[in-house]
Amino acid sequence: MRAAVNAAKAVTGDTSSLTTLASRLDDAQSTATAIPQLTSITSLTLEEAYTVQHLLVGHRVARGDRVSGVKLGFTSRAKARQMGVDDVIIGSITRGMEVPDGGQTDSAAYIHPRIEPEVAWLLGQDVDADEESPDIGWAVEAVAPALEIIDSRYRDFRFTLEDVVADNTSAAGYVIGPWQPVAVAGDVGNRGVGLEIDGRIVQTGSTAAILGHPYRAVAAARRMAKTHGFTLRAGMVLLAGAATAAVPLAAGVRVQSTVSGLGCVGLQVAPGGGDHG
Ligand code: OOG
Ligand code: MG
């Protein structure tokens, strides 16, 4: 009963236990095998959960991956309702998670992947997390339609807020469509969003679902970065959050999302694989 032993250690909340929890999540991701929720075997504060997340991302970086940006989660009411969680969360995305636009990903790498249409911002400047001016438009250079693949490392895709934070907010993959300079794109506050699988519309929505306006994601990211120890640097990508509920991602399908005025972004899932969790 290794799990029980680890759980007993984790109850104290010391760093070595949080290290153990991060390793379990890292193994779950590397082997595409679902694990029980951490909070089913131990208690975790939100702060401890973010520590686990930073340790977990550290495993990727130690293997040669690089942090490419951050993502927000639960910025849309549809997503929050779908997952039964209602606080905005932040996670890290890495180069290794990026799928080129129109490229292919392999469903065998995931446990029970889902896909959701998003908007991405490109940071043109370093963002000082201590700076609090309400206008943070200067920080973003370009905007693009994006897709996010989320894959909870927990069984049945079920978790508490602390679980999903520890699991790097289910981050698993992302695709960025064509960047458009912010000045050219104009106001992206209420653009139609369509998600297609094999040419059939499976979700429709509006960019307004993202915190009322995806622009608010920039200030939200700055606030979350300050509270939870993230760095926002020029050149980083900010995934603003899902515009609709996420849909299961099956082997062999072609996915495309269109954001009105911003264009399309897509990927293809390789045939084979299946649900491991
Ligand atoms: C957590 C990730 C949520 C979003 O855009 O709301 C997220 C999850 O639902 O597993 O990425
Ligand atoms: Mg997302």
Side-chain angles (χ1 to χ4, degrees):
M1 293 300 293
R2 230 176 60 221
V5 173
N6 287 342
K9 278 197 290 184
V11 169
T12 61
D14 64 53
T15 313
S16 62
S17 306
L18 300 181
T19 303
T20 305
L21 297 179
S23 297
R24 298 178 71 182
L25 284 165
D26 188 51
D27 290 347
Q29 184 265 316
S30 306
T31 61
T33 311
I35 58 171
Q37 294 176 41
L38 301 183
T39 59
S40 71
I41 51 168
T42 186
S43 63
L44 268 185
T45 65
L46 190 61
E47 205 184 326
E48 287 168 337
Y50 274 105
T51 301
V52 173
Q53 185 197 124
H54 288 307
L55 292 166
L56 173 62
V57 174
H59 280 280
R60 285 178 177 268
V61 172
R63 288 194 288 268
D65 205 353
R66 275 221 342 259
V67 172
S68 52
V70 294
K71 58 158 285 188
L72 294 181
F74 306 137
T75 52
S76 99
R77 295 249 294 281
K79 264 318 287 279
R81 247 199 323 267
Q82 181 182 28
M83 306 318 299
V85 175
D86 64 2
D87 248 9
V88 173
I89 54 178
I90 186 169
S92 287
I93 52 174
T94 66
R95 295 254 170 263
M97 295 179 190
E98 184 166 10
V99 180
D101 190 11
Q104 183 166 292
T105 191
D106 187 351
S107 62
Y110 310 106
I111 302 167
H112 35 208
R114 297 178 181 178
I115 195 152
E116 53 193 22
E118 303 221 358
V119 166
W121 296 105
L122 181 64
L123 298 185
Q125 309 274 328
D126 293 352
V127 176
D128 177 358
D130 288 325
E131 210 253 330
E132 283 174 358
S133 65
D135 179 25
I136 191 178
W138 51 268
V140 287
E141 183 174 280
V143 61
L147 286 166
E148 185 183 17
I149 300 170
I150 52 172
D151 189 33
S152 176
R153 267 53 68 161
Y154 302 115
R155 275 185 206 143
D156 305 322
F157 225 111
R158 289 170 61 89
F159 42 69
T160 65
L161 185 68
E162 290 76 18
D163 284 314
V164 68
V165 163
D167 186 24
N168 194 21
T169 67
S170 307
Y174 67 96
V175 194
I176 306 289
W179 289 113
Q180 227 175 86
V182 166
V184 175
D187 186 351
V188 298
N190 183 9
R191 301 285 182 92
V193 177
L195 181 68
E196 287 174 33
I197 297 202
D198 289 335
R200 277 188 292 273
I201 289 271
V202 292
Q203 290 283 334
T204 55
S206 161
T207 55
I210 305 165
L211 295 174
H213 194 305
Y215 189 63
R216 297 206 177 113
V218 187
R222 177 179 57 183
R223 178 172 52 80
M224 298 297 284
K226 180 181 163 113
T227 314
H228 300 297
F230 289 74
T231 309
L232 302 176
R233 292 211 186 290
M236 279 187 164
V237 170
L238 163 58
L239 287 181
T244 71
V247 301
L249 187 63
V253 301
R254 189 167 46 80
V255 182
Q256 181 170 289
S257 172
T258 307
V259 179
S260 186
L262 291 186
C264 300
V265 57
L267 65 70
Q268 173 82 43
V269 187
D275 191 315
H276 311 277

